[in-house]
Amino acid sequence: MISIERIRNNFEKIKIGLLSKGCADDLSEILSIDKDYREGLSRVNNLRAEKNKVSDEIAELKKTKKNADHKIVSMRAVGEKIKEIEFNIAEKKEKLDELILNLPNVPHESVNHGPDETKNKTISEWGVENAKDFALKTHLDIGSNLKLFDFERSAKLSGSGFPLYTGKGALLERSLINFMIEFHTQRNDYFEIIPPFLVNSNSVLTTGNLPKFSEDMYHSEVDDLWLIPTAEVPLTNIHCNEILKESDLPKKYAAYSPCFRREAGSYGKDTKGLQRLHQFNKVELVQFVKPEKSYEALESLTSHAEMILQTLNLKYRKIELCTGDLSFSAAKCYDLEIWAPAQEKWLEVSSCSNFEDFQARRGNIRYRKESDSKVEFIHTLNGSGLATPRLLIAILETYQNIDGTVTVPEPLQDYTRLKIID
């Protein structure tokens, strides 16, 4: 959430930043409502002071047994006026909060301005494609031949977009999750969490999924609980409405979770196999840091996701998103895209974002500074420790053999107890 003070004090800069993200909401309306709200508050405070003064005068008159009826009538009129203005400013505040909650985060000044992904910038590329002297099969063909997943039966259970991993496919999926969790907790000092997979509306509001993106999520109306679109949601809300100690920062959490996304409006786009799913597994990384450390933390967090790809020896590239391609909550974001050699295309596998204080303001997550005991909003960061379906695509297509088998990447062999999937 953008603070109203920031909008007041940096109106043109905020307006330009939001326009670069495709948001054309009228900030002038926000300022107008804010002005009316503050003027109403000032009037209420003045009237309360007047009412208190009259109350003291009434008490003094009663002490001296003098008539205070006219003062009492006056005080009642002031009280009625206060109620009227309070009702009005409550409506103003509700409207103001609604408008601000629908504003996306402002891009960081270092982010390239552009309308869409065509203006994204490739920062680096890692790895080389292992040349094969045979025709490559896609992960769909490999998975079907080796019985790693069964999309026909999963469609019978849940419809399209809900994978059914079978046999060694299930083993590979589970091993990949365990490998990533242990890698991040043992090598990158993350604290492991197994979070709830359903959360309340306040939790989803904190991360910016509500109110704008309710159609992209699955909602249990009876319980008013939402299936999480990523573990970022419960992890970020662990410290909702808390004041953390500066000495406890940074806090770094890693969590496995299934992720649920309706992907409204995306039907027909890359829906074959494991490319776009309504349910998928993911290992998520979330950090809580001091504001002055957040962009240093973004580089570090992104490197942690890259370590996984490098350890698995998968070709990938790092993309810095332009303003028009940033998510609603992000101020800056790097995407990691892996190479699927059989399809000859890049697949996004991770997004690493700095949200600055945008989520912290929505969730009231703060820390107390040791130097002066002042309380400030924290900065939050999120970086997927990589979504497993597209990792599996890259692994199956990169490590396939001419005889139709797949060599298990060496880092996963301890988890699968296999060297070859046949």
Side-chain angles (χ1 to χ4, degrees), residues 20 27 34 36 41 78 90 147 150 163 166 175 192 219 225 230 232 244 260 271 292 308 310 326 354 388 419:
S20 74
L27 295 185
D34 175 55
D36 291 344
L41 273 182
V78 171
K147 296 182 172 54
D150 190 331
T166 58
S175 299
E192 183 178 359
H219 184 219
L225 292 174
T230 162
E232 171 199 343
L244 303 174
F260 303 92
T271 54
E292 64 269 24
I308 296 291
Q310 292 174 8
L326 283 176
N354 186 355
T388 58
K419 290 189 176 182

PDB file of all heavy atoms in Angstrom, residues 20 27 34 36 41 78 90 147 150 163 166 175 192 219 225 230 232 244 260 271 292 308 310 326 354 388 419:
ATOM      1  N   SER A  20       3.349   4.237 -15.677  1.00  0.00           N
ATOM      2  CA  SER A  20       4.293   3.321 -16.336  1.00  0.00           C
ATOM      3  C   SER A  20       3.952   1.868 -16.054  1.00  0.00           C
ATOM      4  O   SER A  20       4.394   0.970 -16.753  1.00  0.00           O
ATOM      5  CB  SER A  20       5.731   3.617 -15.882  1.00  0.00           C
ATOM      6  OG  SER A  20       5.956   3.150 -14.563  1.00  0.00           O
ATOM      7  N   LEU A  27      -5.404  10.051  -9.230  1.00  0.00           N
ATOM      8  CA  LEU A  27      -4.821  10.402  -7.940  1.00  0.00           C
ATOM      9  C   LEU A  27      -5.396  11.699  -7.400  1.00  0.00           C
ATOM     10  O   LEU A  27      -5.399  11.936  -6.188  1.00  0.00           O
ATOM     11  CB  LEU A  27      -3.301  10.518  -8.059  1.00  0.00           C
ATOM     12  CG  LEU A  27      -2.523   9.237  -8.385  1.00  0.00           C
ATOM     13  CD1 LEU A  27      -1.032   9.505  -8.342  1.00  0.00           C
ATOM     14  CD2 LEU A  27      -2.876   8.114  -7.436  1.00  0.00           C
ATOM     15  N   ASP A  34      -8.876  12.971   0.546  1.00  0.00           N
ATOM     16  CA  ASP A  34      -7.973  13.110   1.692  1.00  0.00           C
ATOM     17  C   ASP A  34      -8.087  14.504   2.306  1.00  0.00           C
ATOM     18  O   ASP A  34      -8.086  14.661   3.532  1.00  0.00           O
ATOM     19  CB  ASP A  34      -6.541  12.844   1.233  1.00  0.00           C
ATOM     20  CG  ASP A  34      -5.518  13.093   2.326  1.00  0.00           C
ATOM     21  OD1 ASP A  34      -5.656  12.487   3.412  1.00  0.00           O
ATOM     22  OD2 ASP A  34      -4.591  13.901   2.104  1.00  0.00           O
ATOM     23  N   ASP A  36     -10.709  16.547   2.183  1.00  0.00           N
ATOM     24  CA  ASP A  36     -11.994  16.623   2.882  1.00  0.00           C
ATOM     25  C   ASP A  36     -11.935  15.863   4.209  1.00  0.00           C
ATOM     26  O   ASP A  36     -12.477  16.314   5.233  1.00  0.00           O
ATOM     27  CB  ASP A  36     -13.110  16.045   2.015  1.00  0.00           C
ATOM     28  CG  ASP A  36     -13.410  16.901   0.797  1.00  0.00           C
ATOM     29  OD1 ASP A  36     -12.976  18.066   0.783  1.00  0.00           O
ATOM     30  OD2 ASP A  36     -14.059  16.396  -0.140  1.00  0.00           O
ATOM     31  N   LEU A  41     -11.660  15.938  10.126  1.00  0.00           N
ATOM     32  CA  LEU A  41     -11.010  15.591  11.388  1.00  0.00           C
ATOM     33  C   LEU A  41     -10.695  16.828  12.210  1.00  0.00           C
ATOM     34  O   LEU A  41     -10.890  16.858  13.437  1.00  0.00           O
ATOM     35  CB  LEU A  41      -9.699  14.833  11.105  1.00  0.00           C
ATOM     36  CG  LEU A  41      -9.761  13.331  10.917  1.00  0.00           C
ATOM     37  CD1 LEU A  41      -8.355  12.788  10.691  1.00  0.00           C
ATOM     38  CD2 LEU A  41     -10.398  12.640  12.120  1.00  0.00           C
ATOM     39  N   VAL A  78     -23.674  20.798  19.790  1.00  0.00           N
ATOM     40  CA  VAL A  78     -22.296  20.513  19.372  1.00  0.00           C
ATOM     41  C   VAL A  78     -22.087  19.008  19.246  1.00  0.00           C
ATOM     42  O   VAL A  78     -21.466  18.516  18.303  1.00  0.00           O
ATOM     43  CB  VAL A  78     -21.281  21.113  20.366  1.00  0.00           C
ATOM     44  CG1 VAL A  78     -19.864  20.632  20.046  1.00  0.00           C
ATOM     45  CG2 VAL A  78     -21.335  22.631  20.334  1.00  0.00           C
ATOM     46  N   ALA A  90     -16.009   9.113   8.317  1.00  0.00           N
ATOM     47  CA  ALA A  90     -15.852   7.652   8.274  1.00  0.00           C
ATOM     48  C   ALA A  90     -16.090   7.151   6.850  1.00  0.00           C
ATOM     49  O   ALA A  90     -15.380   6.258   6.360  1.00  0.00           O
ATOM     50  CB  ALA A  90     -16.819   6.981   9.243  1.00  0.00           C
ATOM     51  N   LYS A 147       5.928 -43.162 -18.012  1.00  0.00           N
ATOM     52  CA  LYS A 147       4.835 -43.197 -17.033  1.00  0.00           C
ATOM     53  C   LYS A 147       5.155 -42.341 -15.799  1.00  0.00           C
ATOM     54  O   LYS A 147       5.021 -42.789 -14.651  1.00  0.00           O
ATOM     55  CB  LYS A 147       4.510 -44.632 -16.630  1.00  0.00           C
ATOM     56  CG  LYS A 147       3.972 -45.470 -17.788  1.00  0.00           C
ATOM     57  CD  LYS A 147       3.623 -46.872 -17.339  1.00  0.00           C
ATOM     58  CE  LYS A 147       2.905 -47.653 -18.436  1.00  0.00           C
ATOM     59  NZ  LYS A 147       3.633 -47.681 -19.724  1.00  0.00           N
ATOM     60  N   ASP A 150       0.184 -38.689 -15.450  1.00  0.00           N
ATOM     61  CA  ASP A 150      -0.989 -39.190 -16.165  1.00  0.00           C
ATOM     62  C   ASP A 150      -2.032 -38.066 -16.226  1.00  0.00           C
ATOM     63  O   ASP A 150      -2.803 -37.851 -15.285  1.00  0.00           O
ATOM     64  CB  ASP A 150      -1.554 -40.409 -15.429  1.00  0.00           C
ATOM     65  CG  ASP A 150      -2.624 -41.127 -16.238  1.00  0.00           C
ATOM     66  OD1 ASP A 150      -3.308 -40.455 -17.034  1.00  0.00           O
ATOM     67  OD2 ASP A 150      -2.797 -42.348 -16.045  1.00  0.00           O
ATOM     68  N   PRO A 163      -2.089 -31.782 -12.183  1.00  0.00           N
ATOM     69  CA  PRO A 163      -1.296 -32.939 -12.603  1.00  0.00           C
ATOM     70  C   PRO A 163      -1.388 -34.109 -11.636  1.00  0.00           C
ATOM     71  O   PRO A 163      -1.588 -33.925 -10.425  1.00  0.00           O
ATOM     72  CB  PRO A 163       0.127 -32.375 -12.637  1.00  0.00           C
ATOM     73  CG  PRO A 163       0.122 -31.276 -11.629  1.00  0.00           C
ATOM     74  CD  PRO A 163      -1.251 -30.669 -11.717  1.00  0.00           C
ATOM     75  N   THR A 166       3.103 -39.885 -11.190  1.00  0.00           N
ATOM     76  CA  THR A 166       3.038 -41.319 -10.917  1.00  0.00           C
ATOM     77  C   THR A 166       4.437 -41.928 -10.871  1.00  0.00           C
ATOM     78  O   THR A 166       5.348 -41.488 -11.579  1.00  0.00           O
ATOM     79  CB  THR A 166       2.221 -42.040 -12.007  1.00  0.00           C
ATOM     80  OG1 THR A 166       2.824 -41.791 -13.289  1.00  0.00           O
ATOM     81  CG2 THR A 166       0.783 -41.540 -12.021  1.00  0.00           C
ATOM     82  N   SER A 175      11.655 -35.484  -4.629  1.00  0.00           N
ATOM     83  CA  SER A 175      13.091 -35.317  -4.417  1.00  0.00           C
ATOM     84  C   SER A 175      13.540 -33.894  -4.718  1.00  0.00           C
ATOM     85  O   SER A 175      14.400 -33.335  -4.035  1.00  0.00           O
ATOM     86  CB  SER A 175      13.864 -36.302  -5.302  1.00  0.00           C
ATOM     87  OG  SER A 175      13.529 -37.634  -4.980  1.00  0.00           O
ATOM     88  N   GLU A 192      13.154 -23.038   7.899  1.00  0.00           N
ATOM     89  CA  GLU A 192      12.097 -23.786   7.214  1.00  0.00           C
ATOM     90  C   GLU A 192      10.751 -23.653   7.916  1.00  0.00           C
ATOM     91  O   GLU A 192      10.651 -23.715   9.139  1.00  0.00           O
ATOM     92  CB  GLU A 192      12.456 -25.268   7.113  1.00  0.00           C
ATOM     93  CG  GLU A 192      11.415 -26.077   6.336  1.00  0.00           C
ATOM     94  CD  GLU A 192      11.781 -27.545   6.186  1.00  0.00           C
ATOM     95  OE1 GLU A 192      12.853 -27.961   6.664  1.00  0.00           O
ATOM     96  OE2 GLU A 192      10.972 -28.280   5.574  1.00  0.00           O
ATOM     97  N   HIS A 219     -11.564 -19.800  -3.722  1.00  0.00           N
ATOM     98  CA  HIS A 219     -12.109 -19.290  -2.477  1.00  0.00           C
ATOM     99  C   HIS A 219     -13.149 -20.243  -1.911  1.00  0.00           C
ATOM    100  O   HIS A 219     -14.052 -20.681  -2.631  1.00  0.00           O
ATOM    101  CB  HIS A 219     -12.749 -17.916  -2.735  1.00  0.00           C
ATOM    102  CG  HIS A 219     -13.271 -17.252  -1.503  1.00  0.00           C
ATOM    103  ND1 HIS A 219     -14.465 -16.541  -1.486  1.00  0.00           N
ATOM    104  CD2 HIS A 219     -12.779 -17.182  -0.238  1.00  0.00           C
ATOM    105  CE1 HIS A 219     -14.661 -16.068  -0.268  1.00  0.00           C
ATOM    106  NE2 HIS A 219     -13.669 -16.444   0.503  1.00  0.00           N
ATOM    107  N   LEU A 225     -12.087 -18.689   3.392  1.00  0.00           N
ATOM    108  CA  LEU A 225     -10.655 -18.983   3.333  1.00  0.00           C
ATOM    109  C   LEU A 225     -10.240 -19.133   1.870  1.00  0.00           C
ATOM    110  O   LEU A 225     -11.020 -19.588   1.039  1.00  0.00           O
ATOM    111  CB  LEU A 225     -10.323 -20.260   4.103  1.00  0.00           C
ATOM    112  CG  LEU A 225     -10.476 -20.200   5.626  1.00  0.00           C
ATOM    113  CD1 LEU A 225     -10.268 -21.577   6.236  1.00  0.00           C
ATOM    114  CD2 LEU A 225      -9.509 -19.189   6.243  1.00  0.00           C
ATOM    115  N   THR A 230       0.619 -19.026  -3.582  1.00  0.00           N
ATOM    116  CA  THR A 230       2.040 -19.269  -3.334  1.00  0.00           C
ATOM    117  C   THR A 230       2.264 -19.177  -1.829  1.00  0.00           C
ATOM    118  O   THR A 230       1.484 -18.516  -1.122  1.00  0.00           O
ATOM    119  CB  THR A 230       2.936 -18.237  -4.058  1.00  0.00           C
ATOM    120  OG1 THR A 230       4.233 -18.249  -3.480  1.00  0.00           O
ATOM    121  CG2 THR A 230       2.378 -16.835  -3.930  1.00  0.00           C
ATOM    122  N   GLU A 232       4.282 -17.468  -0.411  1.00  0.00           N
ATOM    123  CA  GLU A 232       4.565 -16.068  -0.066  1.00  0.00           C
ATOM    124  C   GLU A 232       3.478 -15.496   0.838  1.00  0.00           C
ATOM    125  O   GLU A 232       3.760 -14.711   1.751  1.00  0.00           O
ATOM    126  CB  GLU A 232       4.650 -15.229  -1.344  1.00  0.00           C
ATOM    127  CG  GLU A 232       4.732 -13.736  -1.117  1.00  0.00           C
ATOM    128  CD  GLU A 232       4.349 -12.946  -2.360  1.00  0.00           C
ATOM    129  OE1 GLU A 232       4.335 -13.527  -3.467  1.00  0.00           O
ATOM    130  OE2 GLU A 232       4.066 -11.748  -2.217  1.00  0.00           O
ATOM    131  N   LEU A 244       8.977  -6.012  15.074  1.00  0.00           N
ATOM    132  CA  LEU A 244      10.148  -6.866  15.237  1.00  0.00           C
ATOM    133  C   LEU A 244      11.310  -6.072  15.815  1.00  0.00           C
ATOM    134  O   LEU A 244      11.374  -4.840  15.703  1.00  0.00           O
ATOM    135  CB  LEU A 244      10.551  -7.460  13.888  1.00  0.00           C
ATOM    136  CG  LEU A 244       9.475  -8.261  13.148  1.00  0.00           C
ATOM    137  CD1 LEU A 244       9.964  -8.667  11.776  1.00  0.00           C
ATOM    138  CD2 LEU A 244       9.055  -9.479  13.955  1.00  0.00           C
ATOM    139  N   PHE A 260      -2.173 -22.769  -5.762  1.00  0.00           N
ATOM    140  CA  PHE A 260      -3.452 -22.905  -6.469  1.00  0.00           C
ATOM    141  C   PHE A 260      -3.777 -21.596  -7.178  1.00  0.00           C
ATOM    142  O   PHE A 260      -3.885 -20.548  -6.527  1.00  0.00           O
ATOM    143  CB  PHE A 260      -4.563 -23.260  -5.487  1.00  0.00           C
ATOM    144  CG  PHE A 260      -4.287 -24.515  -4.708  1.00  0.00           C
ATOM    145  CD1 PHE A 260      -3.648 -24.456  -3.480  1.00  0.00           C
ATOM    146  CD2 PHE A 260      -4.652 -25.759  -5.198  1.00  0.00           C
ATOM    147  CE1 PHE A 260      -3.374 -25.604  -2.744  1.00  0.00           C
ATOM    148  CE2 PHE A 260      -4.392 -26.913  -4.478  1.00  0.00           C
ATOM    149  CZ  PHE A 260      -3.745 -26.840  -3.259  1.00  0.00           C
ATOM    150  N   THR A 271      -0.977 -24.497 -22.252  1.00  0.00           N
ATOM    151  CA  THR A 271      -1.649 -25.360 -21.287  1.00  0.00           C
ATOM    152  C   THR A 271      -1.258 -26.827 -21.416  1.00  0.00           C
ATOM    153  O   THR A 271      -1.726 -27.653 -20.643  1.00  0.00           O
ATOM    154  CB  THR A 271      -3.178 -25.247 -21.441  1.00  0.00           C
ATOM    155  OG1 THR A 271      -3.539 -25.517 -22.794  1.00  0.00           O
ATOM    156  CG2 THR A 271      -3.647 -23.851 -21.073  1.00  0.00           C
ATOM    157  N   GLU A 292      17.025   0.067   4.212  1.00  0.00           N
ATOM    158  CA  GLU A 292      18.277   0.408   3.531  1.00  0.00           C
ATOM    159  C   GLU A 292      19.029  -0.809   3.008  1.00  0.00           C
ATOM    160  O   GLU A 292      19.990  -0.682   2.245  1.00  0.00           O
ATOM    161  CB  GLU A 292      19.194   1.220   4.464  1.00  0.00           C
ATOM    162  CG  GLU A 292      19.673   0.476   5.696  1.00  0.00           C
ATOM    163  CD  GLU A 292      18.759   0.649   6.898  1.00  0.00           C
ATOM    164  OE1 GLU A 292      17.553   0.948   6.692  1.00  0.00           O
ATOM    165  OE2 GLU A 292      19.239   0.465   8.037  1.00  0.00           O
ATOM    166  N   ILE A 308      20.323 -22.900  -7.351  1.00  0.00           N
ATOM    167  CA  ILE A 308      19.632 -24.162  -7.620  1.00  0.00           C
ATOM    168  C   ILE A 308      19.825 -24.559  -9.077  1.00  0.00           C
ATOM    169  O   ILE A 308      20.165 -25.709  -9.401  1.00  0.00           O
ATOM    170  CB  ILE A 308      18.133 -24.045  -7.289  1.00  0.00           C
ATOM    171  CG1 ILE A 308      17.918 -23.782  -5.797  1.00  0.00           C
ATOM    172  CG2 ILE A 308      17.375 -25.294  -7.734  1.00  0.00           C
ATOM    173  CD1 ILE A 308      18.256 -24.939  -4.894  1.00  0.00           C
ATOM    174  N   GLN A 310      22.091 -23.555 -11.209  1.00  0.00           N
ATOM    175  CA  GLN A 310      23.491 -23.839 -11.505  1.00  0.00           C
ATOM    176  C   GLN A 310      23.892 -25.205 -10.970  1.00  0.00           C
ATOM    177  O   GLN A 310      24.621 -25.953 -11.630  1.00  0.00           O
ATOM    178  CB  GLN A 310      24.375 -22.750 -10.910  1.00  0.00           C
ATOM    179  CG  GLN A 310      24.215 -21.395 -11.585  1.00  0.00           C
ATOM    180  CD  GLN A 310      24.993 -20.296 -10.902  1.00  0.00           C
ATOM    181  OE1 GLN A 310      25.781 -20.541  -9.995  1.00  0.00           O
ATOM    182  NE2 GLN A 310      24.756 -19.048 -11.316  1.00  0.00           N
ATOM    183  N   LEU A 326       5.889  -5.526 -14.418  1.00  0.00           N
ATOM    184  CA  LEU A 326       5.990  -5.791 -12.984  1.00  0.00           C
ATOM    185  C   LEU A 326       4.653  -6.258 -12.425  1.00  0.00           C
ATOM    186  O   LEU A 326       3.587  -5.862 -12.904  1.00  0.00           O
ATOM    187  CB  LEU A 326       6.409  -4.522 -12.233  1.00  0.00           C
ATOM    188  CG  LEU A 326       7.879  -4.103 -12.287  1.00  0.00           C
ATOM    189  CD1 LEU A 326       8.058  -2.766 -11.568  1.00  0.00           C
ATOM    190  CD2 LEU A 326       8.781  -5.152 -11.674  1.00  0.00           C
ATOM    191  N   ASN A 354      11.354  -7.255  -4.909  1.00  0.00           N
ATOM    192  CA  ASN A 354      11.401  -6.385  -3.738  1.00  0.00           C
ATOM    193  C   ASN A 354      10.097  -5.600  -3.710  1.00  0.00           C
ATOM    194  O   ASN A 354       9.770  -4.889  -4.657  1.00  0.00           O
ATOM    195  CB  ASN A 354      12.599  -5.429  -3.819  1.00  0.00           C
ATOM    196  CG  ASN A 354      12.772  -4.600  -2.554  1.00  0.00           C
ATOM    197  OD1 ASN A 354      11.955  -4.652  -1.639  1.00  0.00           O
ATOM    198  ND2 ASN A 354      13.844  -3.828  -2.506  1.00  0.00           N
ATOM    199  N   THR A 388       8.297 -26.265  -9.373  1.00  0.00           N
ATOM    200  CA  THR A 388       8.794 -27.579  -9.792  1.00  0.00           C
ATOM    201  C   THR A 388       8.334 -28.028 -11.180  1.00  0.00           C
ATOM    202  O   THR A 388       9.104 -28.707 -11.874  1.00  0.00           O
ATOM    203  CB  THR A 388       8.419 -28.654  -8.763  1.00  0.00           C
ATOM    204  OG1 THR A 388       6.999 -28.680  -8.605  1.00  0.00           O
ATOM    205  CG2 THR A 388       9.075 -28.372  -7.426  1.00  0.00           C
ATOM    206  N   LYS A 419      19.990 -43.361 -10.695  1.00  0.00           N
ATOM    207  CA  LYS A 419      20.844 -42.649 -11.641  1.00  0.00           C
ATOM    208  C   LYS A 419      20.167 -42.526 -13.006  1.00  0.00           C
ATOM    209  O   LYS A 419      20.421 -41.587 -13.738  1.00  0.00           O
ATOM    210  CB  LYS A 419      22.185 -43.374 -11.806  1.00  0.00           C
ATOM    211  CG  LYS A 419      23.075 -43.272 -10.560  1.00  0.00           C
ATOM    212  CD  LYS A 419      24.468 -43.819 -10.835  1.00  0.00           C
ATOM    213  CE  LYS A 419      25.368 -43.623  -9.625  1.00  0.00           C
ATOM    214  NZ  LYS A 419      26.751 -44.105  -9.878  1.00  0.00           N
TER     215      LYS A 419
END
